[in-house]
Amino acid sequence: RKEVEQDPGPFNVPEGATVAFNCTYSNSASQSFFWYRQDCRKEPKLLMSVYSSGNEDGRFTAQLNRASQYISLLIRDSKLSDSATYLCVILTGGGNKLTFGTGTQLKVEL
Amino acid sequence: DAGVTQSPTHLIKTRGQHVTLRCSPISGHKSVSWYQQVLGQGPQFIFQYYEKEERGRGNFPDRFSARQFPNYSSELNVNALLLGDSALYLCASSLGNTGDGELFFGEGSRLTVL
């Protein structure tokens, strides 16, 4: 079983739609959780951290359910510029070893 | 301020050859990590160095090695290249050793092995 599992998509949605991505992780000792964004043929960039209490950054809301080992990302009022691959990421153990999911591809269309 | 810089950006090698990839972290960052990203997959952790010491190693064969220099720049070496080593190699830097999860990635070195 992969440490981090995501639906690869692609999710094709119209502009203005609300879209939700899910991610599950297998290691219950995982400490920290993140969503990274990767544009086509570019490097990944941190989108937001994910906390148990849930956190929001503008149109983006992230949620963590430790009991179910489940992470989500909700994008409201999607824009063309949101088109990218969204990577679910966990940090387990010391150091900076991040474990990435395969990513979910989002395409926002006119 | 310059971000993470990597060189070369693209390279083509043949099976059995050796490759050296280079990375300069953001000024002031002391930790460098290397990741391999195969097409259609997320990045896979290879190594982390902090203060010139190896602090983590992923599930890669001994053909992969790395080091960090006194100026915190880093090299990733891959010997006896295989077709399956074709990938985007990403370098990431961060201030410290322990994770707040924010790694700053370079644009990567795209390696093709023929």
Side-chain angles (χ1 to χ4, degrees), chain A residues 40-99:
Chain A
C40 188
R41 302 187 74 81
K42 299 292 244 179
E43 73 276 19
K45 293 183 180 177
L46 178 66
L47 178 65
M48 58 197 306
S49 301
V50 188
Y51 306 115
S52 297
S53 54
N55 49 303
E56 191 172 306
D57 183 1
R59 298 180 293 107
F60 298 81
T61 301
Q63 200 83 38
L64 165 66
N65 184 321
R66 282 189 183 270
S68 302
Q69 296 181 201
Y70 172 95
I71 304 161
S72 65
L73 177 69
L74 184 76
I75 305 176
R76 290 180 300 278
D77 188 25
S78 37
K79 313 288 185 194
L80 293 175
S81 58
D82 294 333
S83 298
T85 296
Y86 290 84
L87 296 156
C88 178
V89 186
I90 63 173
L91 178 68
T92 305
N96 276 329
K97 179 191 170 185
L98 297 182
T99 300

Side-chain angles (χ1 to χ4, degrees), chain B residues 44-102:
Chain B
Q44 298 292 309
F45 174 76
I46 310 175
F47 287 110
Q48 187 213 343
Y49 279 78
Y50 177 72
E51 289 284 15
K52 303 177 285 293
E53 290 187 8
E54 183 183 300
R55 297 303 183 107
R57 174 183 286 252
N59 188 22
F60 279 81
D62 291 344
R63 300 184 296 107
F64 288 76
S65 63
R67 54 181 174 166
Q68 187 177 33
F69 299 101
N71 67 353
Y72 302 110
S73 67
S74 177
E75 278 183 359
L76 175 70
N77 293 284
V78 187
N79 291 324
L81 285 167
L82 302 174
L83 296 179
D85 296 331
S86 295
L88 179 67
Y89 288 85
L90 293 161
C91 173
S93 77
S94 62
L95 266 174
N97 177 44
T98 50
D100 63 359
E102 184 158 24

Side-chain angles (χ1 to χ4, degrees), chain B residues 2-7 22-26 34 74 91 105-109:
Chain B
V4 177
T5 57
Q6 292 187 242
S7 63
R22 296 179 175 84
C23 171
S24 293
I26 291 171
W34 287 95
S74 177
C91 173
F105 285 87
E107 294 189 355
S109 294

Side-chain angles (χ1 to χ4, degrees), chain B residues 16-27:
Chain B
Q17 285 189 311
H18 162 92
V19 68
T20 297
L21 308 177
R22 296 179 175 84
C23 171
S24 293
I26 291 171
S27 177

